[in-house]
Structure formats: structure tokens, C-alpha cells
Amino acid sequence: MTDPLASLRTLARVSLAHLPTPLERMARLGAAIGIDRLWVKRDDCTGLAFGGNKVRKLEFDLAAAIEARADCVVCGGVPQSNVARQVAAACAKLGLECHLGIMRGRLPHAEPAYEESGNILLDRLYGAIVHDIPWDEDRNLRLTAIVRSLKRSGRNPFLVPYGASDALGALGYALAAEEIVKVLPDVGWIVHASGSAGTQAGLIAGLLALGHPAQVIGIDVDAQPGRVAADVRRVGREAASLLHIEDRWDDERVTVVGDWSAGQYGVADAETEAAIRLAARSEGLALDPVYTGKAMAGLIGLARQGRFSDGAPVVWIHTGGGPGIFAYPTTMARLSSRR
Ligand SMILES: *Cc1c(COP(=O)(O)O)cnc(C)c1O
């Protein structure tokens, strides 16, 4: 039998993640929310730097940096950027100098811990050089400015784009799709937090390559479902092209739902908080207020709407984000004090 992901396996890749991540049946959570056959894909257990979904993407992106003989890597995000933390740790492990553009001012009323604890604390621990820059809706604009200034001073920087969501990074999630399908061949639904779109794009491209019909539902965490869906379509098509199946790419496979974003990036609402509490108390899972709490609120809401009534197995991906919990002490104390 020919390998549907053969072209991917010829690409340069560095080993950073603990793979395959566990796929755990979660019967107590499933019973609580009315999904009989619920599994959680534990991508919070990718190992490096407290884990998370970006580690898979960086196996491809940072291999490309090494191939380009880069002497430093540039990435960035908000102070609680999970990708920034995972890039900082991966660069430390690979012996690459790491420059992070840390974007201030996206959240109007962040707690003090947001600016100095959680992910940003770890960025510094891992030795990243932090450049404070203002937030800009064009997320890569000021990162490319850092790249240009490093070039002017004679360096050879490599840009890992916002969220590590280029087509190359997305391929990490084509491999995650393969891991899921191997263990659960009749999986019907895959649900996860979607933001910079690489995770969802890679999952869909991987499923198309494998000829698998499972439906992927991205839960928008940015309160920008249209922008997220457009990015999934763009990056997904490029990822499909890297897998030599561009002819199979189908925009119709892209589903992003926008009802569980709490109306704003980086802010939790009552549904987010209830979802975090339920996952913690039914399964001992730690979800964060920015990504996985909203993705769990989305899973609960979709189940309530009868979206999974066909009874097919549902896989919810825990995409990580644990350190962000410590950047939201007020939110976490409020939701934890409730029964
Ligand atoms: C980045 C991130 C996501 C979203 O993944 P994208 O590939 O950017 O869509 C989801 N959850 C967590 C914890 C993340 O850090």
C-alpha cells in the first residue's frame, strides 16, 4: 500500500514532541455533556515546555530554520502567547538564539499577572530576547520589522510566523490526524480551538490525504470566525499542496463556529468558566481561559444542539495552554470558588 503522507515524510523535521500523544476515553465528561463516545487527544502532553499544539508545528518550521542556516529565530505574540513560549524552549533545545516580539495592548483590561507571569515568565526563563512591540491586527507586520533589523546588523534570522501557522507548520497536524485515525478509525468528529488556523488546516489536509471523512469543527477563540475560516482555507490549501493533493482540497470541509468566543480574545465568559470547572472536576483536566476553555464550551454547546447525534466517536483536542492559567488569577479564583 502506498503511504498517503509520503511527501511529508521526505521533509526535514526535528524531533521535539513526545509522540504519539495519548488519546484518552473520557466517560465521565462525556456522560456529563451527553456525548456517549468522547475521547480527548492530549496535545497538552507534547512534552516540551509544558506541551501544547505548537510543538508539532515547530518540528517542521525549525527544521527549515536549520536548513536555512539561520543563526537566530524570530517569533512572537501577546504576553500570554503559547507559541512564543514553545518557540523559546525549542530554540533553547536546538541552540538557536530566540527573538520574541511581545505585543502589548491587545487586551484592554488585563490583570497584572497577564503582563509578567505564565507564558511570558517562561519565555524569559528559556532565554528568549524579548522585544516589546504594540499589538497590530496585521500580526506579522512588526515581527517582519524585527527580522529586517536583525538582517541589517548582519544576522541570518528565520521567521516563524504568528502561531507557527504556515503550511509547513500545519503539516504537524496532518500527522496528528493520522495518529487519531490509526487508534479510532471510525472517528466522526474532531473539535478544537482555532485561532491562527494552522492546527485546523493541517488536520483537514491530513484527513483529505488519508481519504478519511471525519468532520473537523474549529471553535473560534478570537471573536473573528470569518477571518479564522478564511485563514484555514488559505493555509489548508497550501498544506494540501505540500502533500501533493491540492486537487482534493475542498473549502466546504472548513467549519469554524463563532458562538463560544466570549465575544473577545483573551477574555472568559460564564460559559468558558463553567466548561473549565466541569473538565477539571470530571476528568482532572486543566483548561485555560483563552483557548481550551472556549473550545470545551464549544463542545458542550454543540452537543446540546445535537450536532453529534449520529453517535460517531468525538475527539476533542486538548491543545495545551496550561501556563496561561497562571496569568488569570482572578478569573481562575472566581470559577474555582463555585460548586
Ligand atoms: C495556538 C493555540 C490554539 C490555536 O491553534 P491555531 O493553530 O493557532 O489555530 C489553540 N489552543 C492553544 C492552547 C494554543 O496555544
Side-chain angles (χ1 to χ4, degrees):
M1 216 183 82
T2 60
D3 175 1
L5 300 179
S7 53
L8 175 161
R9 288 188 239 279
T10 65
L11 295 169
R13 189 175 165 202
V14 290
S15 174
L16 296 170
H18 297 178
L19 300 177
T21 56
L23 188 59
E24 279 185 65
R25 184 92 191 243
M26 299 251 164
R28 279 173 48 78
L29 177 59
I33 67 181
I35 302 177
D36 191 27
R37 300 161 77 195
L38 175 66
W39 277 260
V40 173
K41 179 68 169 164
R42 297 296 303 273
D43 275 13
D44 56 322
C45 300
T46 51
L48 182 73
F50 298 94
N53 63 339
K54 306 309 185 304
V55 182
R56 288 185 187 270
K57 303 175 178 183
L58 294 174
E59 291 199 334
F60 289 98
D61 282 332
L62 293 181
I66 291 166
E67 282 203 320
R69 298 186 178 280
D71 59 11
C72 56
V73 168
V74 177
C75 189
V78 294
Q80 292 309 318
S81 163
N82 293 302
V83 72
R85 178 236 321 156
Q86 288 162 87
V87 169
C91 283
K93 191 172 167 65
L94 297 170
L96 288 162
E97 186 177 285
C98 179
H99 292 258
L100 297 176
I102 297 299
M103 306 170 184
R104 308 281 178 172
R106 185 177 187 189
L107 302 191
H109 307 294
E111 311 186 32
Y114 188 89
E115 304 293 340
E116 66 214 32
S117 186
N119 283 289
I120 181 72
L121 180 151
L122 292 167
D123 296 344
R124 294 200 162 100
L125 173 67
Y126 294 129
I129 297 163
V130 171
H131 305 249
D132 281 303
I133 56 178
W135 166 252
D136 194 305
E137 262 311 320
D138 180 347
R139 291 137 202 244
N140 285 304
L141 184 74
R142 290 176 204 274
L143 301 183
T144 51
I146 295 172
V147 167
R148 272 199 309 277
S149 91
L150 285 162
K151 278 187 180 153
R152 273 197 303 273
S153 55
R155 305 295 301 273
N156 183 22
F158 183 91
L159 176 69
V160 173
Y162 193 89
S165 279
D166 53 355
L168 196 58
L171 293 182
Y173 270 88
L175 289 174
E178 182 183 48
E179 285 178 20
I180 292 169
V181 165
K182 253 190 195 155
V183 179
L184 212 55
D186 60 340
V187 56
W189 304 91
I190 298 174
V191 180
H192 66 92
S194 202
S196 69
T199 300
Q200 191 171 1
L203 286 167
I204 297 171
L207 290 167
L208 286 169
L210 297 163
H212 196 285
Q215 297 193 52
V216 181
I217 303 180
I219 311 292
D220 155 51
V221 297
D222 281 332
Q224 299 174 327
R227 197 271 304 154
V228 175
D231 284 350
V232 175
R233 290 191 292 267
R234 175 178 52 81
V235 179
R237 182 180 295 281
E238 290 168 14
S241 155
L242 290 177
L243 294 170
H244 303 306
I245 54 150
E246 198 180 352
D247 54 325
R248 273 191 243 169
W249 178 260
D250 178 6
D251 282 347
E252 299 292 314
R253 292 272 293 233
V254 176
T255 304
V256 175
V257 294
D259 294 336
W260 293 280
S261 66
Q264 199 191 333
Y265 175 81
V267 175
D269 66 9
E271 277 180 281
T272 323
E273 295 186 12
I276 294 172
R277 203 163 48 235
L278 177 65
R281 294 177 184 189
S282 61
E283 298 285 358
L285 288 172
L287 309 187
D288 74 290
V290 183
Y291 295 96
T292 53
K294 292 179 181 180
M296 181 55 67
L299 182 77
I300 296 167
L302 290 167
R304 209 170 273 152
Q305 293 175 355
R307 190 72 159 246
F308 312 120
S309 56
D310 62 4
V314 177
V315 170
W316 182 84
I317 304 180
H318 190 326
T319 46
I325 288 172
F326 303 99
Y328 286 84
T330 309
T331 301
M332 295 307 298
R334 181 174 58 235
L335 75 89
S336 302
S337 67
R338 301 263 304 274
R339 284 326 303 170

